[in-house]
Amino acid sequence: MGIYLVSVGAREWFGEEEDGRGDVAAGLNEELRRRGLPPYTSVPEEAAFAPGSGTGFEEKLVPPMDGFSALCRAHLSRAEEELLCGWTVLVPVSLDEEIELPVESAYDLTTTVAGAPQILALAERLAEAVELPSDAIPATSDNLELTSWFLDGQAKKAAATRPGRWSEDLDVSFYVALYLRAAQHSIRRGCPIVYS
């Protein structure tokens, strides 16, 4: 059990069945239409699992977030921190502000949709602040790769050869990397990322 961030394919995104997110998809498209933006309809189908392929995203939120919250307060405005940490659905659409939908999500009575380009910009600022060695951490996250890398010892080994601010608190760096990779994946694959 626990909280996961996962990518969603077209069948689940547009689905009306119990696990479907059709209400979110319809509500989002209505809000995009009201803002004069095109609908978000080009969601790819979920690909078959292939380790390291980068076609899926799945990570588990395990470490405590206190240090990450402090990092956000130190480098982001209150509104930016709320945007970065407050969404329940991330989509590869540029949004000037998050969209709140009256649809129950996994952990709230509403669904808050944020644009991946905006989340990516915030995550990149935090990555720069902690000197995250982006080339050293896993580039794909299709099978808890970030979670395993940070929690199973590879991060500590990398810290020995690539010291820097990122290695001072690996829990903080995990969340920086998590939001960075989630936004990158959403944009690259054109898919939503959701809490599950």
Side-chain angles (χ1 to χ4, degrees):
M1 296 299 293
I3 300 174
Y4 291 81
L5 267 183
V6 298
S7 55
V8 172
R11 182 175 301 172
E12 181 179 341
W13 181 248
F14 296 111
E16 298 297 332
E17 63 277 358
E18 185 178 340
D19 292 335
R21 299 179 189 273
D23 289 347
V24 174
L28 173 60
N29 283 338
E30 177 61 23
E31 287 298 319
L32 291 174
R33 184 193 62 75
R34 285 186 345 95
R35 289 165 167 79
L37 298 170
Y40 172 48
T41 57
S42 58
V43 180
E45 287 295 344
E46 189 170 329
F49 176 69
S53 69
T55 56
F57 188 96
E58 179 185 9
E59 293 295 346
K60 185 174 184 180
L61 285 67
V62 178
M65 291 189 79
D66 297 344
F68 180 70
S69 296
L71 177 73
C72 289
R73 287 192 299 274
H75 294 277
L76 304 176
S77 70
R78 182 72 183 141
E80 290 170 333
E81 179 184 359
E82 289 175 0
L83 175 62
L84 179 66
C85 300
W87 57 267
T88 50
V89 175
L90 188 64
V91 293
V93 176
S94 186
L95 299 172
D96 290 338
E97 58 185 17
E98 65 269 54
I99 295 173
E100 188 164 339
L101 301 173
V103 179
E104 189 171 342
S105 61
Y107 300 98
D108 205 342
L109 296 176
T110 60
T111 295
T112 303
V113 182
Q118 287 71 29
I119 297 303
L120 178 60
L122 297 175
E124 286 174 338
R125 283 172 48 195
L126 296 180
E128 185 177 331
V130 299
E131 300 173 347
L132 189 71
S134 188
D135 60 327
I137 63 173
T140 60
S141 300
D142 51 16
N143 189 26
L144 305 175
E145 290 176 48
L146 279 177
T147 305
S148 297
W149 194 81
F150 274 95
L151 300 181
D152 294 346
Q154 295 99 314
K156 286 182 181 176
K157 291 176 185 173
T161 59
R162 301 276 303 266
R165 278 186 267 176
W166 78 278
S167 63
E168 294 169 8
D169 190 329
L170 294 178
D171 290 348
V172 170
S173 292
F174 167 77
Y175 284 106
V176 172
L178 177 74
Y179 285 107
L180 181 72
R181 293 298 191 233
Q184 289 171 337
H185 182 87
S186 178
I187 293 167
R188 185 179 70 249
R189 289 279 297 152
C191 68
I193 303 280
V194 302
Y195 285 91
S196 173

